[in-house]
Every structure is written in C-alpha cells, then in structure tokens.
C-alpha cells in the first residue's frame, strides 16, 4: 500500500482540531509530522484518506480513538535533568521554601513520559530526605502517562542523571530487563500522575510551592499562553516559584510574577 498523501485541507482540519482541544498551534511545517504520526492509524482502520480518519475522530462514540490521535500529535521529546540549572536552583532554594507542618509540593505540568517529575523527585529526596513532599506530573496524553507511571526506561535515557543519583534511585535491569532501568519504588511512590488538559478548566490539584511549565508554551499562541498561565497561577502559593524553559519567557503573558533569574519567576508574598 502506498503512503497516503495528506492534503492541505486535511492538514487544516487536524490543525484546527488540536488547537481547539489542546491549544497547540501547528504551523504548516508540521504537516509531515501529522502525516507520519497518523499514518498507521489510517492504515489500521483500512481507510482511503486522512479525511476519512478525521471524520471518525469527530464521532461522539469514538472518544478513545480521538485520545489516541491526541497522544500521537502531542508527544514531545524529554529527558532526565533537562536544563540542569533549574535543579541547581531547587537545591539552593527548596530548604528556605519549606513551611512547618505542610508537605512540599511541586507540579510538573507537562510531564510527558515522566523524566521531569522523576528528576524533580530525585532532587527533593536529596534535599528533603524523608520529610513530607510530593510531585504531581500531568500531561494531556494518556499514553505517555502510562509509561511515566511505570518508571521503566531504556538505559540510553540515563545520560544526564548524576552518578550518585543513578546508584541511589535507579535499578539496573538484568536478564529479560537488561538494557533498561527502573526508578526506585520509594521514589515512584512520591510521584503521582494525572491527565490534565491545560487548555481547559483545571481539576482540583491543591496548592504548590513550585510549578514547572517547561517546553510547552512554545506550542501555544500568545492568547493561549495567557489563558493557560492565568489558570495555573491560583495554584501557586504566595512566595512560590514558577519555572519555564530557557527558550521561553513570561514577558507579556502575566505581570503577577516577578523574574528572579532567566526562566524562573516568583509569586509575591501575600
């Protein structure tokens, strides 16, 4: 079977769909990505065009298939200890952020397959030890969240994890699991994952001392960025920190936070 071509009109349908659902703006340059990621689903359903697949997604009784398509179109690259300066900042500032009698809580708001929240957890375990703390990871993709909950990764993913963290928090696979590693159960128990669409009203997640929203706003237009951040800010406690990636900025998005260093912002004390 020859590879089906994705027409410009069909691409615009998926472009509009993913913007309406997830707030993600896909430029025309993303047309090959859409074609490539959805090709197997089109073939699996025995369809003759991407337009036929889009019509399936619009059927109310095909919500599961719609979630599959969203998963395929929103999955992005991530890795352990990405942008390490943020974790250096955590080591320095987390102790002073602690409040007596309250658990220290961090939200990884675009957690993908779990590398970021587990990185955060390693740092918290190092700094806070057995004190009360927890990490919430969220993503729009159910498929990557399932992978994240398992905490099981190929050994090729260990790059970036400090050696002393590897020995302390990661179990090397043997036998059938050779070539993989598993995040330690005690660490996994401190991290929970929840499906959250940042483009919709947020569920009740509680209050956080730090929020990570990294490498996701690059996919939003300005209006969507403003709306997403406005939804999230009430969940950040006064004095807490909001972290974006080094390639992102909150300039023009909100004036409710004060910049403390590039890509790191603080919510003023009440």
């Amino acid at each position: 079977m020859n590879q089906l071509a994705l027409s410009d009109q069909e691409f615009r349908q998926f472009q509009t769909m993913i913007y309406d659902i997830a707030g993600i703006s896909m430029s025309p340059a993303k047309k090959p990505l859409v074609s490539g990621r959805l090709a197997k689903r089109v073939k699996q359903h025995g369809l003759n065009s991407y337009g036929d697949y889009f019509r399936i997604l619009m059927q109310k009784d095909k919500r599961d298939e719609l979630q599959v398509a969203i998963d395929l179109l929103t999955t992005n690259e991530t890795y352990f200890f990405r942008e390490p300066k943020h974790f250096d900042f955590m080591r320095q500032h987390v102790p002073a952020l602690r409040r007596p009698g309250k658990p220290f809580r961090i939200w990884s708001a675009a957690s993908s397959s779990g590398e970021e929240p587990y990185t955060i957890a390693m740092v918290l375990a190092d700094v806070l030890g057995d004190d009360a703390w927890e990490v919430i990871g969220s993503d729009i993709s159910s498929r990557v969240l399932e992978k994240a909950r398992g905490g099981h990764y190929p050994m090729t993913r260990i790059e970036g994890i400090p050696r002393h963290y590897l020995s302390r928090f990661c179990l090397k696979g043997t036998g059938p699991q050779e070539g993989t590693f598993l995040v330690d159960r005690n660490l996994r128990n401190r991290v929970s994952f929840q499906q959250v669409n940042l483009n919709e009203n947020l569920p009740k997640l509680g209050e956080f001392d730090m929020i990570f929203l990294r490498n996701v706003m690059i996919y939003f237009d300005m209006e969507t960025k403003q709306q997403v951040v406005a939804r999230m800010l009430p969940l950040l406690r006064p004095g807490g920190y909001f972290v974006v990636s080094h390639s992102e900025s909150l300039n023009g998005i909100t004036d409710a936070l004060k910049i403390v260093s590039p890509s790191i912002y603080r919510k003023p004390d009440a």
Side-chain angles (χ1 to χ4, degrees):
M1 177 180 175
N2 293 329
Q3 178 75 44
L4 288 173
L6 174 68
S7 72
D8 289 344
Q9 181 184 352
E10 290 167 338
F11 171 71
R12 283 193 292 272
Q13 290 178 312
F14 291 107
Q15 196 180 28
T16 301
M17 178 193 81
I18 205 67
Y19 180 80
D20 290 344
I21 293 172
I24 294 173
S25 297
M26 290 195 300
S27 71
K30 296 291 184 183
K31 185 179 170 184
L33 179 144
V34 172
S35 173
R37 290 192 176 180
L38 298 182
K40 282 186 179 178
R41 303 306 298 174
V42 175
K43 186 176 181 180
Q44 193 166 327
H45 285 280
L47 302 172
N48 294 317
S49 71
Y50 285 91
D52 289 345
Y53 182 61
F54 179 80
R55 282 184 279 278
I56 286 178
L57 299 182
M58 293 301 103
Q59 295 173 22
K60 288 186 177 179
D61 61 344
K62 302 294 186 190
R63 307 304 290 179
D64 289 348
E65 186 61 35
L66 179 61
Q67 183 62 55
V68 170
I70 292 169
D71 288 354
L72 290 170
L73 294 176
T74 58
T75 304
N76 297 300
E77 178 67 16
T78 184
Y79 44 91
F80 287 94
F81 285 87
R82 184 178 191 175
E83 300 183 330
K85 285 184 180 178
H86 292 151
F87 305 110
D88 295 339
F89 181 90
M90 276 182 62
R91 290 186 190 94
Q92 294 169 13
H93 291 84
V94 161
L97 273 176
R98 293 161 69 186
R99 292 177 294 172
K102 296 199 174 187
F104 193 88
R105 304 182 75 236
I106 295 184
W107 179 18
S108 168
S111 63
S112 190
S113 44
E115 287 88 339
E116 179 176 278
Y118 287 131
T119 297
I120 293 168
M122 289 179 195
V123 175
L124 290 181
D126 193 21
V127 174
L128 299 182
D130 293 329
D131 287 0
W133 58 266
E134 65 174 320
V135 181
I136 307 292
S138 72
D139 202 275
I140 193 174
S141 168
S142 58
R143 184 168 60 100
V144 295
L145 289 173
E146 202 56 41
K147 181 177 179 181
R149 290 185 184 101
H152 189 207
Y153 301 93
M155 286 297 287
T156 52
R157 308 298 286 173
I158 68 169
E159 191 176 343
I161 304 177
R163 188 173 292 273
H164 63 290
Y165 282 1
L166 265 179
S167 58
R168 183 176 169 189
F169 301 122
C170 302
L171 305 172
K172 188 177 181 180
T174 59
Q177 304 299 332
E178 190 173 353
T180 68
F181 70 94
L182 183 68
V183 176
D184 180 76
R185 181 186 296 275
N186 291 328
L187 201 73
R188 279 185 283 133
N189 287 342
R190 296 276 198 149
V191 184
S192 60
F193 293 93
Q194 185 170 340
Q195 188 175 21
V196 174
N197 184 349
L198 300 175
N199 201 42
E200 297 177 346
N201 291 331
L202 299 176
K204 292 181 179 178
L205 298 171
E207 190 177 56
F208 295 95
D209 298 279
M210 292 184 75
I211 293 177
F212 280 67
L213 182 68
R214 305 194 307 167
N215 301 294
V216 64
M217 284 195 296
I218 52 174
Y219 301 104
F220 298 155
D221 62 19
M222 180 57 78
E223 183 182 2
T224 304
K225 290 175 185 178
Q226 292 169 341
Q227 292 170 349
V228 166
V229 172
R231 284 187 202 101
M232 298 175 75
L233 284 185
L235 279 63
L236 181 66
R237 75 162 175 91
Y241 291 98
F242 195 100
V243 183
V244 300
S245 83
H246 292 307
S247 63
E248 298 167 329
S249 164
L250 294 182
N251 187 32
I253 295 171
T254 181
D255 55 7
L257 301 173
K258 304 299 181 187
I259 188 165
V260 294
S261 68
S263 72
I264 300 175
Y265 298 79
R266 185 174 183 271
K267 189 174 186 178
D269 293 300

